[in-house]
Amino acid sequence: MTTFPTARAVRTTPEGLLWEPSERWVRGRRGEVTVVDSRHPVLVWELEVPVPLYAFPREEVREDLLRPAKNPRSGTHSGSRIFYDLEVDGELLENAAWTFPAADLCGHIAFEWLRRSGRGLDHWYEEEEEIFVHPRD
């Protein structure tokens, strides 16, 4: 079971990732399918990327839609440990999700944003408002 941090302080992993618990209710969808619905997301700043992304506790992710990546990417997402393909309504999105190698983020899954990378989840919501490209930090 994932432990949900509650303190509002930016933390640094040994790998150099910055992360911070968020108090926002965040949802990510592909088309009409909700893939993640979380009240315990964390903001993650990857090395040399100026904007954060969200990572989510596994238990708040539709893992039934994830498949081990057939062609895992290399050299992306700060040394990702595991990549996943996402299958929604018969469509397979390669490398749409991943985990980080950092022990601090163990048990969390991050997703690509369609408007940020050209693939991934296409609708994101913080509370009731749709957001685009990246989370507010």
Side-chain angles (χ1 to χ4, degrees):
M1 179 171 194
T2 302
T3 301
F4 301 117
T6 56
R8 297 276 310 166
V10 175
R11 297 163 174 124
T12 305
T13 70
E15 298 82 4
L17 295 169
L18 299 176
W19 69 279
E20 174 183 34
S22 173
E23 296 174 359
R24 295 181 180 129
W25 173 33
V26 177
R27 291 161 326 284
R29 296 179 12 196
R30 179 66 185 192
E32 298 300 315
V33 176
T34 299
V35 177
V36 60
D37 186 339
S38 179
R39 296 203 181 257
H40 304 99
V42 294
L43 288 163
V44 179
W45 288 264
E46 294 185 284
L47 304 173
E48 301 180 18
V49 179
V51 296
L53 53 81
Y54 279 120
F56 306 95
R58 284 183 172 278
E59 49 271 9
E60 297 179 342
V61 170
R62 291 268 319 264
E63 287 191 87
D64 61 306
L65 301 174
L66 299 179
R67 313 282 181 263
K70 291 181 182 175
N71 301 300
R73 298 178 69 181
S74 61
T76 59
H77 299 300
S78 302
S80 172
R81 185 176 300 164
I82 299 170
F83 277 94
Y84 297 97
D85 295 340
L86 176 67
E87 187 172 355
V88 177
D89 292 334
E91 178 185 23
L92 187 68
L93 303 165
E94 289 190 358
N95 299 299
W98 65 93
T99 62
F100 292 103
D104 291 358
L105 298 171
C106 164
H108 287 75
I109 298 174
F111 290 88
E112 291 287 0
W113 291 49
L114 180 67
R115 294 188 182 180
R116 179 175 173 176
S117 68
R119 65 183 196 290
L121 302 185
D122 52 2
H123 295 282
W124 289 92
Y125 301 88
E126 289 179 344
E127 303 299 335
E128 296 297 330
E129 185 177 342
E130 187 167 11
I131 58 172
F132 308 93
V133 185
H134 64 83
R136 295 183 190 103
D137 57 352

